[in-house]
Amino acid sequence: MKIKFFDGSMGTMLQSAGLKAGELPELLNLTDEEKVFAVHKAYASIGSEYITTNTFGANSLKMDNYAEVIRKGVEIAKRAGKKVALDIGPTGKLLKPMGDLDFEKAIEVFAQVVNAGKDGSDVILIETMSDTYEIKAAVLAAKENSSLPVIVTMIFDENARLLTGADIKTAVTMLEGLGVDAVGFNCGLGPKQMIAFVEEIRRWTSLPIIVQPNAGLPESVNGQTIFNVSPTEFAEDMKKIAQLGVSYLGGCCGTTPKHLEEMIKLCSSIPANVPDRKNLSLVSSYSETVELGTKPVVIGERINPTGKKLFKEALRRNDIDYIIKEGISQKEAGAHILDVNVGLPEIDETAMMKSAVYNLQSVLSTPLQIDTTDITALEAALRLYNGKPMLNSVNGKEHNMKEVFPLAKKYGSVVVCLCLDENGIPDSAEGRIKIAEKIINTAAEYGIEKKDLIVDALTMTISTDKNNSIETLKAVKYIKEVLGVNTVLGVSNISFGLPKRDAINTAFFTLALQSGLSAGIINPKSQAMMNAYYSYNALAALDDNCAEYIESVTVSDVPAADTKVTLHTAIVKGMREEASACAGELLKTTASLDVINQHIIPALDEVGAGFEANKIFLPQLLMSADSAKAAFDVIKESMILSGKKEKSGNKIVLATVHGDIHDIGKNIVKVLLSNYGFDVIDLGKDVPEEEVLKAVIENDVKLVGLSALMTTTVPSMEKTIQLLHEQTDAKIFVGGAVLTQSYADMIHADWYTKDAMESVRVAKEFFA
């Protein structure tokens, strides 16, 4: 089978045909369809087998007549006589809690696009995606509203990270779980930079790969945006990519029919090469992936009301902060995955489960295990989860498997399989193994592979039967070694009814690990249990140079979940309610400015340093900023009540330039600058040059930030900069996905800021 070829850039071609800066290319489907058709035909004539509709930005958040634009776009592409790829781009908004777009609303918006364009299309191409949560919304919309194959391409930065923090492994883990048909990359970088990405994605995916780079990096020449990779160079690099093993190739920004023609000449004889099937058991959040089966995994058991009076009270009070603190303390104690069980008979479990999952994944990057017997609560949690979770659990009862496996297949998860059925829990290892085999075989009927199963042979207390430990360990060993499936146990069940339970628990945990236990559901805040864990890994040659063991015995104990946190900690951890409360307490003894300068700003600086070091990612950065805002709000209210006037900060104008309707980056910068005390005047998106000038003059502003996401709107940025430099003494920093340092220099910006934290640094230095 040979590689299949997609087309190249629509925007670049339309610009060369007269599309003006700021014009929406999708509207040409209605106003000048022959111009759009000419681009499609040009690509079709040189060998592109898939023609991508001119619908990238067509959705109900951006235009009222989106459906008409999409239907016409499919019709025009179909005229080219090739297969049609329905093009779905990002919404242009961040999803909650980072932004203001609700997850279900995002699904609705994407569903509208799918329903408007599925007739006449051969495949759905979800492209230029930078957030796993938005990707999940788009994929669910595509699968729930059509039967078309779904291809997803993402835009990674030079560090191989999405905007919201996922690396290639993490993004692929979620997408394979959701059942997409092909994955890969587009936009952002040229083919040379994507070679390493292709090598990396082949390590983790079993799916066909698609690669659609830009024609290099953009440059501004005589007011026009051009790209610096020629058709010949593009084709030569794409040949290297093809030889690594891909199924689909195409082009993005800056590519033309000439680029694609040269590429097809060099690559048409190279066979498609789908990666080998991977037998990897992976669980992920939005930015972290945990692999089961290579090294034992710790699943934190503390978010569970069983035997926990304080936790039950917190659930009754709807005290989400208690749950968040418990999650944070377990993560800091060494948990790799957090079990989440919020079931109490007297509460609405579905609502509480949704709230717990939503808030935990907003603050923590730790993957979650969704633990419930309530099918409604289970589906609600699986749907809104940002990543590939564990699902706890399914058992050998026929009705249970019929309920759980379809959800596991649809949403993609690793399923915990309990060795019990209609007859209860067998006493013997053989009885439990038989149930495990039944569950594994039934899962296969639903298309769920062994790698996405983890069997719980069930821990029964030795206080009722002296053989319970022996039978459980026999089952664990057989399931892992003979059946070839990962294993998990709720370890502490072994000691119910006995004194000094930690002694029994740690001994049993060690024996289970030696028998092949892949993951233990334990209390990570138990020093004895974690000592057993780190000691076992060191003894089993799973800890290079005993590094983790040494670190574990030299760190201080982790505080309990109910330990009072400081304002600094609340901001760093993104705990909004705690930040507000801590700020109020501090104001009783500390001056407002001292609270800001000694507590809030240092906390933000710590988070910013972590962000720049790639130790934390955008969601955590924004949640910390939101917590800082909560603290600032308390301080402002206190100053108003005391009659004090708030000191006006240094003024900064922010705007997304004329013609650009994407303001994600600008909004992130606004949040951070505001929380550092700057007085931000946000002009919004699609702002004409004259309006920026007017705002700068009227407010006597000395620093301006401009954003652009689309290559077609960078000329507007250049015009705005020229106007400001001619008529004011304001300095300008610029940012956006299409910009580089050299590009910023060419359009005479004073600074190029590659991310939001760099904008903060520029502002702090400028006003110092």
Side-chain angles (χ1 to χ4, degrees):
M1 183 176 175
K2 293 184 178 180
I3 292 171
K4 301 292 185 183
F5 299 102
F6 277 69
D7 50 10
S9 175
M10 171 63 71
T12 297
M13 293 296 290
L14 291 178
Q15 276 184 291
S16 65
L19 180 71
K20 296 178 182 176
E23 280 190 285
L24 296 179
E26 297 86 359
L27 294 180
L28 290 179
N29 293 347
L30 304 180
T31 61
D32 196 346
E33 68 173 272
E34 291 307 314
K35 188 173 288 185
V36 176
F37 174 71
V39 176
H40 290 327
K41 196 64 180 174
Y43 284 119
S45 66
I46 53 87
S48 294
E49 296 154 284
Y50 285 86
I51 299 301
T52 309
T53 59
N54 181 33
T55 56
F56 174 80
N59 63 60
S60 60
L61 297 178
K62 296 178 181 177
M63 55 184 68
D64 294 332
N65 59 342
Y66 72 92
E68 184 182 5
V69 169
I70 292 168
R71 284 193 291 269
K72 193 65 176 178
V74 172
E75 178 189 316
I76 299 168
K78 196 101 180 143
R79 285 171 53 197
K82 302 290 184 176
K83 290 185 178 180
V84 174
L86 175 61
D87 191 13
I88 301 178
T91 61
K93 290 182 174 290
L94 281 173
L95 274 64
K96 293 179 180 177
M98 293 184 294
D100 58 4
L101 182 60
D102 183 77
F103 180 69
E104 286 295 335
K105 178 62 177 178
I107 295 176
E108 178 188 333
V109 169
F110 287 123
Q112 291 168 344
V113 176
V114 172
N115 285 317
K118 62 184 178 183
D119 293 340
S121 295
D122 299 287
V123 64
I124 293 173
L125 176 63
I126 300 168
E127 63 145 310
T128 321
M129 287 288 176
S130 60
D131 173 18
T132 54
Y133 213 22
E134 186 172 29
I135 296 170
K136 179 171 180 175
V139 171
L140 287 178
K143 288 187 161 290
E144 290 175 349
N145 292 278
S146 84
S147 58
L148 295 173
V150 178
I151 295 175
V152 176
T153 59
M154 297 163 282
I155 178 170
F156 286 84
D157 64 19
E158 64 276 7
N159 297 315
R161 291 275 182 181
L162 295 181
L163 175 68
T164 50
D167 59 11
I168 291 170
K169 177 182 180 181
T170 299
V172 165
T173 295
M174 184 192 77
L175 287 171
E176 287 207 8
L178 290 172
V180 304
D181 298 280
V183 293
F185 317 106
N186 79 299
C187 205
L189 300 168
K192 199 178 299 296
Q193 293 87 353
M194 285 192 184
I195 291 172
F197 292 3
V198 177
E199 293 172 335
E200 176 70 3
I201 200 171
R202 283 189 61 87
R203 290 180 59 201
W204 303 110
T205 191
S206 305
L207 296 174
I209 296 168
I210 177 172
V211 184
Q212 295 183 287
N214 288 348
L217 301 175
E219 297 177 355
S220 179
V221 178
N222 298 323
Q224 295 294 316
T225 301
I226 65 167
F227 287 78
N228 59 15
V229 172
S230 69
T232 300
E233 184 183 354
F234 182 85
E236 289 171 350
D237 287 333
M238 293 302 281
K239 181 179 179 181
K240 295 174 185 176
I241 287 174
Q243 290 170 335
L244 291 174
V246 300
S247 295
Y248 305 97
L249 292 177
C252 202
C253 299
T255 58
T256 66
K258 187 64 177 174
H259 287 82
L260 274 292
E261 182 178 22
E262 293 295 316
M263 177 188 75
I264 292 170
K265 285 180 183 177
L266 289 186
C267 301
S268 59
S269 62
I270 300 173
N273 186 334
V274 178
D276 295 334
R277 298 294 299 173
K278 307 295 190 302
N279 188 34
L280 300 172
S281 297
L282 304 174
V283 181
S284 71
S285 66
Y286 69 87
S287 67
E288 287 185 18
T289 301
V290 173
E291 185 172 354
L292 298 161
T294 55
K295 184 177 180 178
V297 168
V298 172
I299 302 174
E301 68 178 10
R302 299 290 301 171
I303 303 177
N304 188 317
T306 303
K308 302 179 185 70
K309 183 179 179 181
L310 291 178
F311 194 89
K312 289 178 180 178
E313 291 175 359
L315 290 177
R316 294 185 185 107
R317 296 193 311 269
N318 194 29
D319 186 354
I320 295 298
D321 253 28
Y322 186 95
I323 295 174
I324 291 173
K325 284 191 285 184
E326 189 63 81
I328 290 172
S329 64
Q330 288 187 94
K331 177 182 174 65
E332 292 179 344
H336 307 113
I337 298 170
L338 298 177
D339 184 76
V340 182
N341 184 318
V342 294
L344 279 183
E346 64 266 39
I347 69 170
D348 182 341
E349 184 177 353
T350 298
M352 180 57 75
M353 179 63 84
K354 288 174 67 176
S355 180
V357 170
Y358 176 83
N359 284 283
L360 283 166
Q361 72 181 13
S362 298
V363 173
L364 291 168
S365 59
T366 310
L368 303 181
Q369 174 175 275
I370 298 165
D371 184 357
T372 178
T373 57
D374 185 315
I375 291 298
T376 303
L378 178 62
E379 178 163 20
L382 289 173
R383 188 170 181 82
L384 64 81
Y385 183 73
N386 188 1
K388 181 181 179 181
M390 287 184 74
L391 184 164
N392 190 2
S393 57
V394 71
N395 60 53
K397 298 176 182 179
E398 293 295 337
H399 75 87
N400 183 262
M401 290 188 285
K402 287 180 181 179
E403 285 183 326
V404 174
F405 280 140
L407 296 180
K409 180 64 176 175
K410 175 178 179 178
Y411 294 105
S413 62
V414 169
V415 187
V416 176
C417 308
L418 306 183
C419 292
L420 64 88
D421 61 11
E422 289 84 356
N423 298 315
I425 303 171
D427 292 330
S428 68
E430 290 76 17
R432 298 181 203 179
I433 290 166
K434 187 175 181 180
I435 294 174
E437 290 174 329
K438 179 173 71 170
I439 297 173
I440 292 166
N441 292 334
T442 305
E445 295 173 8
Y446 288 89
I448 299 172
E449 300 177 59
K450 284 185 178 181
K451 67 185 181 67
D452 286 327
L453 303 175
I454 182 167
V455 176
D456 187 342
L458 296 173
T459 306
M460 308 296 288
T461 178
I462 56 172
S463 66
T464 60
D465 187 332
K466 67 178 183 180
N467 293 314
N468 275 340
S469 171
I470 294 171
E471 294 302 317
T472 297
L473 295 175
K474 280 169 59 179
V476 167
K477 187 176 182 65
Y478 187 93
I479 291 165
K480 183 68 176 292
E481 294 181 359
V482 179
L483 300 186
V485 179
N486 284 309
T487 56
V488 63
L489 289 174
V491 175
S492 60
N493 294 345
I494 198 69
S495 62
F496 279 149
L498 296 173
K500 295 188 176 180
R501 294 179 62 191
D502 256 4
I504 292 291
N505 291 346
T506 53
F508 177 68
F509 187 30
T510 303
L511 289 171
L513 291 171
Q514 192 172 12
S515 298
L517 187 67
S518 307
I521 303 174
I522 67 171
N523 176 10
K525 293 189 287 185
S526 163
Q527 187 173 351
M529 291 297 281
M530 294 308 290
N531 283 348
Y533 173 77
Y534 290 115
S535 298
Y536 171 81
N537 285 341
L539 292 166
L542 298 172
D543 183 3
D544 290 343
N545 301 315
C546 299
E548 290 184 353
Y549 172 78
I550 293 168
E551 183 181 1
S552 75
V553 296
T554 56
V555 298
S556 59
D557 291 340
V558 177
D562 56 355
T563 300
K564 187 172 180 63
V565 299
T566 64
L567 177 56
H568 184 100
T569 300
I571 292 172
V572 170
K573 300 300 181 185
M575 303 166 69
R576 181 182 173 86
E577 297 300 322
E578 290 288 337
S580 179
C582 289
E585 283 297 311
L586 277 171
L587 286 172
K588 295 177 182 178
T589 58
T590 310
S592 300
L593 286 178
D594 288 339
V595 173
I596 293 171
N597 293 324
Q598 295 174 17
H599 298 271
I600 297 178
I601 298 301
L604 288 173
D605 284 342
E606 180 179 328
V607 174
F611 177 74
E612 293 183 322
N614 284 319
K615 293 180 179 178
I616 69 168
F617 303 102
L618 184 63
Q620 295 154 291
L621 181 71
L622 291 181
M623 292 305 293
S624 292
D626 195 42
S627 298
K629 181 180 182 300
F632 269 120
D633 288 343
V634 172
I635 293 170
K636 290 176 183 177
E637 184 178 349
S638 173
M639 294 174 75
I640 292 170
L641 292 174
S642 65
K644 296 179 182 178
K645 289 188 177 180
E646 183 184 348
K647 183 180 177 181
S648 177
N650 295 303
K651 297 176 183 177
I652 302 173
V653 161
L654 294 181
T656 300
V657 299
H658 184 44
D660 206 315
I661 55 176
H662 303 85
D663 59 356
I664 289 177
K666 184 262 298 173
N667 288 343
I668 295 169
V669 171
K670 174 188 175 182
V671 168
L672 294 185
L673 288 174
S674 296
N675 285 333
Y676 270 88
F678 296 105
D679 185 359
V680 178
I681 302 169
D682 182 8
L683 303 182
K685 58 190 177 184
D686 190 17
V687 184
E689 302 89 73
E690 295 79 9
E691 287 190 22
V692 178
L693 177 65
K694 180 181 178 183
V696 169
I697 293 173
E698 288 183 351
N699 294 282
D700 191 25
V701 172
K702 302 301 181 185
L703 186 62
V704 178
L706 300 176
S707 173
L709 183 71
M710 302 161 61
T711 56
T712 55
T713 59
V714 177
S716 295
M717 179 179 279
E718 186 173 14
K719 290 178 184 176
T720 305
I721 293 171
Q722 182 180 353
L723 193 62
L724 289 172
H725 280 165
E726 287 175 352
Q727 300 194 36
T728 75
D729 60 353
K731 300 295 183 182
I732 302 136
F733 63 90
V734 298
V738 296
L739 293 175
T740 62
Q741 180 65 62
S742 60
Y743 205 156
D745 293 340
M746 290 177 189
I747 61 177
H748 307 295
D750 296 291
W751 293 277
Y752 163 65
T753 55
K754 64 181 176 62
D755 56 42
M757 280 310 303
E758 199 155 309
S759 300
V760 171
R761 187 186 307 110
V762 165
K764 289 171 72 175
E765 291 175 356
F766 180 78
F767 289 113

